[in-house]
Amino acid sequence: MQFYHRTEGALMTDRIADIFGTRTPHAKGTVWPARVDQHLDPGVEEEAVDSWVQSACLLCSNGCGLDIAVKDGRMVGVRGRATDVVNHGRLGPKGLYGSTRWASADDRLTRPLVREGDRLVETDWDTAMGRIVERSKALLEEKGPLSHGFYTSGQLFLEEYYTLAVIGKAGLGTPHMDGNTRLCTATSAAAFKESFGADGQPGSYTDIEHCDALFLFGHNMPETQSVLWARILDRTRGDDPPRVVCVDPRRTLVALEAERTGGVHLAPRVGTNLALMNGLTRELFVNGWVDQDWVDAHTIGVDDLRSTVEPCTPEHVAEICGVDADDVRRAARIFGESDGVLSTVLQGFYQSHQATAASVAVHNLHLLRGMIGRPGAGVLQMNGQPTAQNNRECGADGDLPGFRNWDNESHVKELADAWDVDVMTVPHWAPPTHAMQIFSYAETGSIGLLWISATNPAVSMPESARIRKILGGDQCFVVVQDLFLTETAELADVVLPAAGWGEKAGCYTNVNRTVHLSEKAVEPPGEARSDLDIFLAYADAMGFTNRSGEPLIGWRSPEEAFDAWAAVTAGRPVDYTGLSYAKLRGPTGIPWPVNDEHPDGTDRLYADAVFPTDTDYCETYGHDLATGGTVTETEHRAMAPAGRAFLKGAAYTPPHEEPSAEFPLRYTTGRTVYHFHTRTKTGRSRDLDQAAPDAWVELSPADAHERGIEEGDWVRVTSPRGAIEVRARVGNVMDGAVFAPFHYGHWEPGSAPGGSHADADRRLANELTMTVWDPVSKQPAFKTAACQVTRVRAGDGPSPAPTTAASAPSPDHDFPLSRRPRATAGGGPTSSTEPAATPHYPLDPALDSSEGGR
């Protein structure tokens, strides 16, 4: 189902069927060749485009540089930027087909809405903001700042997060601030803090060009960061390729590549990641694969770690995880004997049992081998959203801006002085409130005003029936600002129409710290406003002032907000002081820190093996990984880390909910390559929607046979919390596991605003998940629940699951003719060219670009 033809020198391809595009293999240590991907709306020719506007993709965390095509005041397509260090011109299916089509959808919110009885009705901005301010002031008078909560996103701009953080922390003084980043990558930040003393990605995408082995821990990269996977494929298909090791309970494309490269696919039972990691760590110790001199000089805690993992023999791991003991040995040997290993980690670890401990264990492997801070040796604890990193940096997730320690009085005073407020206004008497607790407070009415921006918790939070009840209740006044009337906005008291990507200006930072500027390309529709302007309007209406009597928020434009943010990062690990809008209007994004010492940015951290762990500088004093108990300042100071990294471990314990006679299977949720989060944007792209139009559930052939289930049958999946009814894919999960994509709520493309899919709430994967979370990162465990699957009725064909990636049908199942899955295809033609321009590489002289990587 692939088709190619050349048109004016460009290679045209259906990028729904061919997810990754044409291969451009290259050898180790050479530059990844550029290939520019471009897609324009049907009927729009390239020469008819009025302008190309600089930006970066907003539909995963990779942060691909691109330009937006504008014609007649509308966004009509995108083109990758050949000189950008992130993507070298490439774009994935979501970026190509989903970046712009939502913007002109008929159901865009264009005017504010307020609730009148059981209806939302249109109104003007003064009335809508007046209601919010009236309720806000009344709650402050009656209950104080703890009556306010903010739940935001990983998709706003840096300038908007920072403005919101100042409003919440210095204007209101509430600790109740978090984002949906808590659901996807809070564990990334927590793991960095525990091991290295502060957040911040140590590795770089350029490590792919140098490594000898790639370990992907719970990371289905082909579907979550497709362009980054294309980068890996161009190494594994070139000379001197790296071996791949995959840790995933499904036989994903990563697993297939592991088999092809002589690596290993480890498929542990859901909820047993830490047991596997402890076994791999033990193998490094017992086989002498530890760089003892480096460990002695640059880490602390090695003896305790060795004691923790000592019982975890390969046979013990095999018994717990259901993997082969020799496969554990093989994977450990690859790690122990390779000169350079790049590890990536994502939701399979973050959303599972003992998330922080398992993710920290990945750091332990690298620290024991001294594999950090040099080309080809690093860690990428991935993000799930394009601006999740900014949320963490700026403090809209509850942390203090600039990776400051809320438990360090001098850090709090730095911010209070910068904002010119009393230090006691800034909440720091207890840890910031995480999202799961915020919704519990809203459930009881302790939080009386909950402001939700650019996220859809009615679909994405665990136990979604409970979340809908909280949002629809009278105990809490709910404000939602978004592009559309989402499942969450339907339940709000006030809905504010927001401008989206391309309709406003701002910056955002991707997984490996690369900062991009997104310029405004078009005007937002109707009365929609940027999130920055909405937050500024609230601050003005509330009359927030500093100690000098001046407005608390002194900036009015995105660029002024950026400059204010950069100023408070001075001297911190996340130093933006050398960045400006003018500097970012260049050929590529720039990775922080950027300052006088690093004027062109920093490709990878910790090249000097000095970590931000000093007691007076670190972002946290740390936690017990098993219990979440905090380490005090006194205890931390007594350890005298002095720039050394922490080796930390914890013993494996079983998940909160194990299979039983009533619920004998293990339920896990995840993503498909064609959709992003709850489909707010991707569901409005016909190409992407048709590639994955409806929800499904995946079972192994053995589990399907045992239950009399054939491909495409309607099945009921139940857990102790709820049930869904969807069609079955007999797929590539391990026996005993059940996989469901979480993207689908009751909204359906083509329905009226607020309209429903025929199955309404019967396809929400999070009806079944649990309200439990990791003790350190507080990230909910979407991937560990018990369930049962029963057949409801025969289907009328194959399931709607795609056939191109991990949801492909199992090769081990004999499908009836009428149920054989059809090949996924249907994307409009997308052009790819290999330009003469070389990717902009100011930071990695180790790469040999003389041969162009060919």
Side-chain angles (χ1 to χ4, degrees):
M1 296 298 290
Q2 299 182 25
F3 58 95
Y4 298 89
H5 60 275
R6 289 192 175 275
T7 302
E8 297 178 348
L11 186 68
M12 309 296 290
T13 176
D14 172 4
R15 291 291 302 282
I16 295 295
D18 182 14
I19 296 170
F20 312 108
T22 309
R23 295 277 52 74
T24 54
H26 67 104
K28 178 182 177 182
T30 60
V31 174
W32 187 31
R35 186 196 79 201
V36 175
D37 294 346
Q38 175 179 303
H39 182 75
L40 297 173
D41 285 351
V44 178
E45 299 296 331
E46 185 172 356
E47 58 270 17
V49 172
D50 296 330
S51 61
W52 293 92
V53 180
Q54 174 182 336
S55 185
C57 185
L58 206 67
L59 287 172
C60 81
S61 64
N62 207 52
C64 297
L66 60 74
D67 294 319
I68 305 169
V70 178
K71 178 175 173 54
D72 299 331
R74 293 178 58 247
M75 295 187 288
V76 294
V78 290
R79 177 182 66 195
R81 307 191 92 201
T83 55
D84 198 278
V85 296
V86 171
N87 57 316
H88 298 204
R90 291 163 181 77
L91 296 171
K94 289 192 289 289
L96 288 165
Y97 301 121
S99 287
T100 62
R101 294 181 182 175
W102 57 269
S104 54
D106 292 339
D107 57 342
R108 279 292 298 273
L109 291 173
T110 59
R111 298 195 69 203
L113 306 174
V114 294
R115 183 162 297 282
E116 298 291 351
D118 61 354
R119 296 187 307 122
L120 286 167
V121 298
E122 287 190 351
T123 189
D124 55 65
W125 272 96
D126 288 343
T127 300
M129 188 59 71
R131 288 201 184 185
I132 297 169
V133 171
E134 180 182 17
R135 180 61 63 95
S136 187
K137 288 182 175 180
L139 286 168
L140 288 174
E141 179 70 24
E142 178 185 352
K143 296 183 176 180
L146 297 183
S147 60
H148 285 59
F150 293 87
Y151 184 65
T152 186
S153 176
Q155 297 171 63
L156 300 184
F157 286 164
L158 174 159
E159 297 83 354
E160 294 161 342
Y161 291 126
Y162 182 58
T163 301
L164 178 60
V166 177
I167 288 172
K169 291 172 169 59
L172 292 165
T174 178
H176 303 329
M177 305 185 74
D178 206 352
N180 64 10
T181 50
R182 184 66 55 186
L183 312 184
C184 58
T185 52
T187 298
S188 170
F192 288 144
K193 295 177 194 177
E194 296 301 323
S195 296
F196 308 132
D199 195 354
Q201 198 72 247
S204 167
Y205 291 168
T206 60
D207 288 326
I208 294 170
E209 275 78 81
H210 299 290
C211 67
D212 301 300
L214 282 151
F215 278 64
L216 287 84
F217 295 98
H219 185 190
N220 183 12
M221 187 189 289
E223 304 202 55
T224 54
Q225 289 90 17
S226 58
V227 171
L228 196 61
W229 182 245
R231 191 169 189 158
I232 288 175
L233 290 179
D234 285 344
R235 269 296 323 275
T236 61
R237 307 306 167 92
D239 294 337
D240 195 11
R243 284 181 290 179
V244 175
V245 175
C246 171
V247 178
D248 198 304
R250 300 165 77 204
R251 196 163 180 255
T252 63
L253 296 183
V254 181
L256 296 180
E257 199 67 9
E259 296 164 7
R260 201 192 69 82
T261 60
V264 185
H265 175 208
L266 295 165
R269 293 188 180 104
V270 172
T272 65
N273 293 330
L274 184 58
L276 174 64
M277 295 306 301
N278 284 346
L280 293 173
T281 305
R282 180 186 181 276
E283 287 297 289
L284 296 191
F285 281 118
V286 300
N287 288 286
W289 293 324
V290 174
D291 187 339
Q292 196 62 53
D293 290 343
W294 195 95
V295 167
D296 290 343
H298 302 297
T299 72
I300 59 176
V302 66
D303 292 335
D304 287 343
L305 178 62
R306 183 186 291 109
S307 298
T308 298
V309 303
E310 177 56 33
C312 303
T313 65
E315 287 71 24
H316 182 63
V317 171
E319 182 179 349
I320 294 172
C321 300
V323 297
D324 188 278
D326 285 339
D327 284 346
V328 176
R329 293 186 178 93
R330 287 175 56 216
R333 180 171 294 277
I334 292 172
F335 203 105
E337 295 183 346
S338 296
D339 291 331
V341 177
L342 173 63
S343 294
T344 72
V345 192
L346 197 58
Q347 316 291 24
F349 271 36
Y350 300 164
Q351 294 180 339
S352 193
H353 179 53
Q354 296 184 291
T356 304
S359 300
V360 164
V362 177
H363 297 163
N364 292 340
L365 295 178
H366 281 263
L367 292 170
L368 289 173
R369 294 225 55 223
M371 281 198 185
I372 198 162
R374 59 180 173 85
V379 180
L380 293 171
Q381 297 272 0
M382 302 296 292
N383 296 335
Q385 297 182 81
T387 68
Q389 190 65 46
N390 298 120
N391 197 331
R392 285 150 42 184
E393 295 167 2
C394 297
D397 68 342
D399 289 337
L400 293 185
F403 296 165
R404 288 176 170 84
N405 187 346
W406 64 268
D407 208 17
N408 184 322
E409 289 287 345
S410 66
H411 287 198
V412 181
K413 187 176 186 302
E414 288 172 5
L415 290 174
D417 290 346
W419 298 334
D420 192 20
V421 298
D422 190 284
V423 71
M424 293 308 296
T425 300
V426 182
H428 63 285
W429 54 86
T433 313
H434 59 91
M436 307 300 286
Q437 192 64 60
I438 286 174
F439 277 85
S440 292
Y441 289 153
E443 186 173 30
T444 64
S446 174
I447 287 178
L449 188 154
L450 179 60
W451 194 319
I452 299 169
S453 51
T455 188
N456 191 11
V459 177
S460 59
M461 288 282 282
E463 279 194 82
S464 50
R466 170 178 173 260
I467 298 300
R468 293 194 300 274
K469 183 178 179 181
I470 293 171
L471 296 173
D474 295 332
Q475 81 292 345
C476 183
F477 186 85
V478 175
V479 179
V480 171
Q481 64 191 55
D482 215 319
L483 307 170
F484 299 95
L485 192 66
T486 63
E487 289 91 340
T488 298
E490 291 171 10
L491 302 170
D493 296 287
V494 175
V495 179
L496 303 176
W501 172 89
E503 299 168 348
K504 59 183 181 178
C507 293
Y508 42 101
T509 306
N510 77 339
V511 169
N512 72 333
R513 298 170 285 102
T514 301
V515 185
H516 285 103
L517 171 63
S518 181
E519 302 273 22
K520 183 177 179 179
V522 298
E523 292 297 325
E527 298 176 25
R529 297 181 181 179
S530 74
D531 297 274
L532 176 62
D533 286 342
I534 293 171
F535 293 145
L536 290 175
Y538 172 71
D540 291 346
M542 291 294 291
F544 294 136
T545 58
N546 58 26
R547 285 182 296 192
S548 303
E550 300 295 323
L552 176 66
I553 309 296
W555 50 88
R556 296 289 103 179
S557 71
E559 187 168 5
E560 291 172 348
F562 181 90
D563 292 342
W565 156 249
V568 302
T569 68
R572 297 303 301 162
V574 53
D575 195 332
Y576 277 66
T577 52
L579 283 174
S580 64
Y581 271 34
K583 187 162 187 170
L584 289 168
R585 290 187 175 108
T588 181
I590 304 172
W592 61 254
V594 189
N595 49 28
D596 290 341
E597 184 180 356
H598 305 285
D600 294 320
T602 308
D603 195 31
R604 56 183 62 82
L605 301 182
Y606 313 134
D608 57 1
V610 176
F611 302 90
T613 54
D614 184 81
T615 304
D616 294 324
Y617 189 73
C618 64
E619 188 179 0
T620 180
Y621 301 134
H623 301 79
D624 182 290
L625 298 183
T627 67
T630 56
V631 176
T632 67
E633 178 186 355
T634 301
E635 291 168 335
H636 190 275
R637 199 174 294 279
M639 288 186 280
R644 293 176 292 170
F646 289 97
L647 289 165
K648 290 186 171 186
Y652 164 76
T653 59
H656 298 83
E657 188 170 274
E658 289 276 58
S660 62
E662 185 178 2
F663 301 106
L665 302 173
R666 299 172 189 263
Y667 182 75
T668 183
T669 66
R671 290 152 174 73
T672 178
V673 65
Y674 300 113
H675 283 305
F676 184 62
H677 281 215
T678 61
R679 305 178 304 134
T680 307
K681 292 179 178 175
T682 56
R684 289 173 170 85
S685 162
R686 183 178 180 183
D687 295 311
L688 296 172
D689 179 63
Q690 289 182 342
D694 200 357
W696 71 91
V697 67
E698 296 172 26
L699 300 89
S700 73
D703 290 329
H705 177 75
E706 181 181 335
R707 289 161 176 78
I709 295 169
E710 287 288 353
E711 168 72 24
D713 282 350
W714 286 89
V715 296
R716 182 175 175 84
V717 188
T718 56
S719 83
R721 288 154 297 282
I724 57 174
E725 291 187 10
V726 294
R727 281 169 283 184
R729 162 56 47 89
V730 182
N732 295 291
V733 293
M734 67 184 298
D735 291 345
V738 176
F739 171 85
F742 87 101
H743 308 287
Y744 301 89
H746 66 236
W747 171 78
E748 182 68 7
S751 63
S756 294
H757 182 273
D759 297 316
D761 296 324
R762 290 188 295 171
R763 63 178 184 174
L764 273 72
N766 280 319
E767 297 286 293
L768 280 64
T769 49
M770 292 186 290
T771 306
V772 296
W773 52 85
D774 180 76
V776 180
S777 68
K778 316 303 182 187
Q779 185 160 347
F782 289 101
K783 296 188 180 294
T784 52
C787 75
Q788 176 61 291
V789 181
T790 55
R791 184 178 184 274
V792 176
R793 64 184 184 275
D796 56 1
S799 80
T803 62
T804 47
S807 296
S810 171
D812 301 324
H813 184 66
D814 185 17
F815 292 92
L817 183 61
S818 64
R819 304 292 185 87
R820 288 178 185 170
R822 295 178 290 271
T824 302
T830 295
S831 67
S832 295
T833 60
E834 296 186 32
T838 304
H840 193 63
Y841 259 97
L843 300 174
D844 198 345
L847 283 172
D848 174 16
S849 60
S850 61
E851 299 181 13
R854 306 266 177 199

